[in-house]
Amino acid sequence: WCSNRLVITGLTETESKQFVDAIVAEKLLETFVPTPDGVDAYDYHLDEWGTKWDVGGQVEVFGDVVDSYFDSAWSPPVEGLTKISSLFPDAEFRLEYNEPGMCYCGVTNFSNGESDDSYIDYNDIPGICDLDFNEDDVYEKVEEIVEEWISDQ
């Protein structure tokens, strides 16, 4: 599973409620980028959402900031969020993602249908290759290094 944190700023109160409702219902992508009738849903989801299943999970609102955490299947929903950001031109979206099973992570910023992605393989993050993978706590150390890299982006 790919772990995701999505932070959205600049939404109206009504728009924030739409996002909260969609995330809690675990239908964030289907709500804003619906699957058309008569198409192969699997292929559509991969092409239009960037992941095979819809997403949703924990969400909090702080003023005009929507902050959510969810898992996605195999990859972050970059394509879907790019499309969603075009529907909310005054909002800014930041997606932080980590896919430890495939050893990559990144940060994508979205604005008005445009995205800027900072993707990196674990082996390219300074300090990862220096770890002793025979140590009992190596996975905790990897997670710390990855989290630090993400927060620096």
Side-chain angles (χ1 to χ4, degrees), residues 4 34 36 42 62 70 78 90 116 124 145:
N4 299 269
Y42 179 82
F62 306 97
F70 55 85
V78 171
D90 296 327
D116 177 28
D124 296 327
I145 292 170

Side-chain angles (χ1 to χ4, degrees), residues 81-93:
L81 290 172
T82 300
K83 288 170 180 52
I84 292 170
S85 75
S86 70
L87 303 173
F88 300 90
D90 296 327
E92 300 289 326
F93 297 68

Side-chain angles (χ1 to χ4, degrees), residues 29-36 44 49:
L29 301 168
E30 189 67 42
T31 298
F32 298 105
V33 187
T35 308
Y44 179 85
W49 296 353

Side-chain angles (χ1 to χ4, degrees), residues 1 6 12 14 31 45 70 74 84-85 89-90 92 95 100 102 120 132 142-143 148:
W1 289 98
L6 175 63
T12 66
T14 301
T31 298
H45 294 167
F70 55 85
W74 299 341
I84 292 170
S85 75
D90 296 327
E92 300 289 326
L95 179 68
M102 298 302 292
I120 192 166
D132 180 353
V142 167
E143 189 65 29
E148 182 178 336

Side-chain angles (χ1 to χ4, degrees), residues 20-149:
V20 168
D21 291 347
I23 292 166
V24 168
E26 298 187 355
K27 293 183 183 257
L28 175 62
L29 301 168
E30 189 67 42
T31 298
F32 298 105
V33 187
T35 308
D37 291 334
V39 301
D40 180 290
Y42 179 82
D43 289 337
Y44 179 85
H45 294 167
L46 290 179
D47 293 341
E48 301 301 317
W49 296 353
T51 187
K52 67 179 184 173
W53 294 318
D54 211 334
V55 299
Q58 301 174 359
V59 62
E60 295 181 279
V61 179
F62 306 97
D64 75 336
V65 177
V66 175
D67 192 353
S68 63
Y69 294 87
F70 55 85
D71 290 331
S72 56
W74 299 341
S75 56
V78 171
E79 289 82 355
L81 290 172
T82 300
K83 288 170 180 52
I84 292 170
S85 75
S86 70
L87 303 173
F88 300 90
D90 296 327
E92 300 289 326
F93 297 68
R94 176 183 168 92
L95 179 68
E96 301 171 357
Y97 59 89
N98 181 18
E99 215 309 359
M102 298 302 292
C103 299
Y104 72 87
C105 62
V107 175
T108 307
N109 294 296
F110 307 88
S111 180
N112 199 19
E114 300 291 324
S115 64
D116 177 28
D117 188 38
S118 298
Y119 165 98
I120 192 166
D121 289 316
Y122 280 11
N123 287 340
D124 296 327
I125 299 173
I128 294 282
C129 290
D130 299 330
L131 295 174
D132 180 353
F133 281 82
N134 292 316
E135 291 182 14
D136 290 338
D137 63 345
V138 69
Y139 295 106
E140 289 83 7
K141 290 178 181 177
V142 167
E143 189 65 29
E144 287 174 18
I145 292 170
V146 167
E147 287 177 13
E148 182 178 336
W149 183 89

